[in-house]
């Protein structure tokens, strides 16, 4: 891929295209939105990773370790291993974090521990990315994808927003993802 895809996110905000400032937009909580789309369910309101008194990054970790895992115990073990390296005092909370997260997102819990969920998520995400890129390219807008985000000249922010939302809704018409 393009070298920008390997560039740390904190440095990407200083990129320019032809000397003009750029903006990077991404789908907030993309994997969760895709799971809700697959389950034909509506996500809860607000920040999907926001839980009272629990660091948002740990909730994201619960999701990323859950998708593609074979069992609940595998996820909890992976969380504990990460916690042991980063914040060992949290190791005893791994199971509670898992349960709290999936209680809130119970509408999509049944998609876990199925062999095809991770592959389907990757396919859906790439389909959406390719459709957003096609729209921006057809509009003559230089656009670089970085996972579930896209970088364009700042003056094309609104066109990028429209392309990203339209691409997502072409796959899941009933969902309105959040961009950031």
């Amino acid at each position: 891929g393009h070298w920008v895809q390997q560039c740390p996110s904190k440095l990407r905000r200083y990129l320019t295209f032809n000397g003009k400032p750029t903006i990077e937009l991404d789908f907030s909580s993309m994997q969760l939105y895709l799971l809700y789309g697959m389950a034909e369910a509506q996500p809860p309101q607000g920040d999907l990773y926001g839980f009272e008194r629990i660091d948002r990054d740990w909730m994201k970790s619960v999701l990323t370790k859950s998708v593609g895992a074979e069992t609940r115990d595998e996820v909890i073990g992976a969380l504990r291993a990460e916690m042991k390296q980063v914040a060992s005092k949290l190791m005893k909370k791994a199971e509670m974090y898992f349960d709290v997260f999936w209680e809130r997102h119970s509408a999509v819990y049944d998609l876990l521990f199925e062999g095809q969920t991770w592959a389907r998520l990757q396919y859906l995400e790439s389909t959406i990315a390719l459709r957003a890129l096609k729209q921006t390219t057809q509009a003559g807008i230089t656009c670089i994808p970085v996972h579930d985000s896209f970088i364009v000249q700042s003056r094309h922010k609104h066109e990028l927003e429209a392309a990203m939302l339209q691409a997502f809704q072409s796959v899941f018409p009933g969902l309105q993802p959040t961009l950031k």
Side-chain angles (χ1 to χ4, degrees):
H2 197 278
W3 69 266
V4 170
Q5 294 172 328
Q6 305 304 316
C7 182
S9 61
K10 63 184 174 186
L11 297 179
R12 288 196 300 260
R13 64 182 151 166
Y14 300 108
L15 291 173
T16 61
F17 292 173
N18 296 327
K20 307 246 188 233
T22 61
I23 187 164
E24 181 174 6
L25 294 178
D26 71 3
F27 289 101
S28 180
S29 310
M30 176 68 138
Q31 296 286 309
L32 268 173
Y33 271 101
L34 292 175
L35 284 171
Y36 276 96
M38 289 168 58
E40 298 180 3
Q42 287 294 321
Q45 295 293 316
D47 180 2
L48 298 182
Y49 296 116
F51 290 79
E52 195 172 317
R53 293 187 296 271
I54 300 176
D55 187 290
R56 186 177 194 278
D57 288 336
W58 286 115
M59 294 292 93
K60 288 178 84 172
S61 191
V62 168
L63 176 70
T64 57
K65 287 174 178 25
S66 296
V67 175
E70 292 183 19
T71 66
R72 177 181 187 274
D73 288 341
E74 181 183 329
V75 176
I76 292 169
L79 280 170
R80 284 188 180 129
E82 181 181 355
M83 289 169 168
K84 184 177 182 178
Q85 290 184 351
V86 179
S88 60
K89 65 183 179 193
L90 292 178
M91 287 175 61
K92 62 184 178 233
K93 294 185 177 189
E95 190 169 359
M96 185 267 294
Y97 283 10
F98 178 92
D99 291 340
V100 166
F101 183 85
W102 288 113
E103 181 179 311
R104 180 172 181 201
H105 298 293
S106 61
V108 299
Y109 183 81
D110 289 342
L111 294 172
L112 298 181
F113 317 128
E114 293 181 6
Q116 295 301 313
T117 298
W118 184 84
R120 186 152 182 238
L121 285 173
Q122 298 308 303
Y123 171 76
L124 292 169
E125 189 171 326
S126 65
T127 297
I128 292 165
L130 289 171
R131 289 178 183 177
L133 285 170
K134 181 178 180 182
Q135 286 186 331
T136 55
T137 300
Q138 288 177 339
I141 299 170
T142 300
C143 182
I144 297 176
V146 181
H147 187 52
D148 64 350
S149 70
F150 302 87
I151 302 170
V152 298
Q153 285 183 344
S154 297
R155 65 187 173 116
H156 296 299
K157 177 184 177 185
H158 298 297
E159 293 95 322
L160 177 59
E161 287 174 340
M164 290 171 68
L165 291 173
Q166 187 175 1
F168 188 94
Q169 290 173 338
S170 73
V171 175
F172 294 118
L175 286 179
Q176 180 72 28
T178 304
L179 303 178
K180 59 177 181 164

